[in-house]
Amino acid sequence: GAVVSQHPSWVICKSGTSVKIECRSLDFQATTMFWYRQFPKQSLMLMATSNEGSKATYEQGVEKDKFLINHASLTLSTLTVTSAHPEDSSFYICSARDSLTNTEAFFGQGTRLTVV
Amino acid sequence: GQNIDQPTEMTATEGAIVQINCTYQTSGFNGLFWYQQHAGEAPTFLSYNVLDGLEEKGRFSSFLSRSKGYSYLLLKELQMKDSASYLCAPEGRRALTFGSGTRLQVQP
């Protein structure tokens, strides 16, 4: 089946630094990818929709200047958490759908971010 | 917007059958997904319903009623490894939106 690869799977960073998370669709093209955040024992919350070749669409309450999204190609979207703070510590998950078949959304492995 | 309601927790016995219900309200509806998520892991796809009715896939079945905004996931012959969270996700105009999830605990 289709695979979405997310990297890194976990990262620890110091407060005030930036962290980049990559999401790649390995065997299909995705014009749209989605970034979710999940706090412990809570559901996945959609942060933003990443659109290839154009600006991302952010959900209400998500700071676009803090969570920079770039979707430069049909197989890669990146999420950069800028000036990270401890409250940004969370599980970040990307998902993508095959633009041609538009079937189920496949999820990356997730990235566990810890800001100290 | 979207409003999704499913039970927070359920407990069932190994070998039994359990039904997890989900009601939703969404602006624009294309279909409904069910995902399984083990703690600390990404969700894995279980089913996708577009039309009304029951879709069966092995031990798992999923039902959809579009007019009622209702779906359920049926798990048969429960196994210990089925202990996980089950996420109902109606597909609106854009992305999937997830319910709070139902944490299922399978007991021996």
Side-chain angles (χ1 to χ4, degrees):
Chain A
V3 177
V4 173
S5 175
Q6 187 173 339
H7 177 81
S9 56
W10 61 270
V11 58
I12 302 173
C13 71
K14 290 185 177 180
S15 197
T17 61
S18 296
V19 174
K20 179 185 283 188
I21 303 170
E22 293 187 349
C23 181
R24 294 180 184 272
S25 56
L26 297 186
D27 55 1
F28 65 95
Q29 294 182 336
T31 55
T32 306
M33 293 186 180
F34 306 95
W35 287 96
Y36 293 86
R37 179 169 54 185
Q38 186 176 36
F39 291 106
K41 297 187 178 181
Q42 295 186 26
S43 187
L44 288 84
M45 297 299 296
L46 178 66
M47 298 176 66
T49 302
S50 173
N51 304 299
E52 187 267 335
S54 64
K55 292 181 179 180
T57 305
Y58 290 82
E59 295 301 299
Q60 191 173 7
V62 178
E63 299 176 58
K64 61 180 181 180
D65 294 330
K66 180 171 182 63
F67 298 99
L68 301 179
I69 291 173
N70 184 275
H71 195 151
S73 76
L74 286 171
T75 59
L76 173 65
S77 175
T78 60
L79 168 68
T80 301
V81 183
T82 63
S83 187
H85 290 284
E87 56 264 32
D88 298 325
S89 299
S90 186
F91 192 50
Y92 293 86
I93 309 176
C94 70
S95 76
R97 301 176 77 174
D98 189 326
S99 302
L100 295 178
T101 62
N102 202 31
T103 52
E104 75 258 27
F106 297 96
F107 285 84
Q109 304 95 319
T111 298
R112 175 77 57 193
L113 170 64
T114 302
V115 184
V116 298
Chain B
Q2 304 201 22
N3 186 19
I4 304 160
D5 188 35
Q6 55 181 125
T8 304
E9 292 184 354
M10 297 183 72
T11 303
T13 305
E14 192 175 13
I17 299 174
V18 70
Q19 178 174 313
I20 303 174
N21 296 321
C22 172
T23 58
Y24 62 90
Q25 293 177 320
T26 181
S27 54
F29 179 79
N30 293 325
L32 188 138
F33 291 83
W34 281 96
Y35 282 83
Q36 179 192 62
Q37 187 180 27
H38 286 96
E41 299 180 10
T44 55
F45 170 79
L46 291 178
S47 67
Y48 178 47
N49 293 65
V50 176
L51 302 176
D52 285 356
L54 187 68
E55 296 274 348
E56 297 186 69
K57 187 186 295 184
R59 294 191 299 115
F60 292 4
S61 302
S62 57
F63 171 84
L64 176 67
S65 169
R66 297 175 67 117
S67 62
K68 295 181 180 178
Y70 168 69
S71 174
Y72 68 72
L73 180 69
L74 192 70
L75 294 78
K76 304 176 184 176
E77 301 171 14
L78 281 173
Q79 302 175 8
M80 298 300 291
K81 67 178 182 180
D82 296 330
S83 293
S85 286
Y86 292 85
L87 310 175
C88 168
E91 181 187 14
R93 293 197 177 94
R94 293 191 294 156
L96 305 182
T97 300
F98 289 86
S100 56
T102 298
R103 283 191 294 278
L104 173 65
Q105 182 66 45
V106 180
Q107 297 178 338

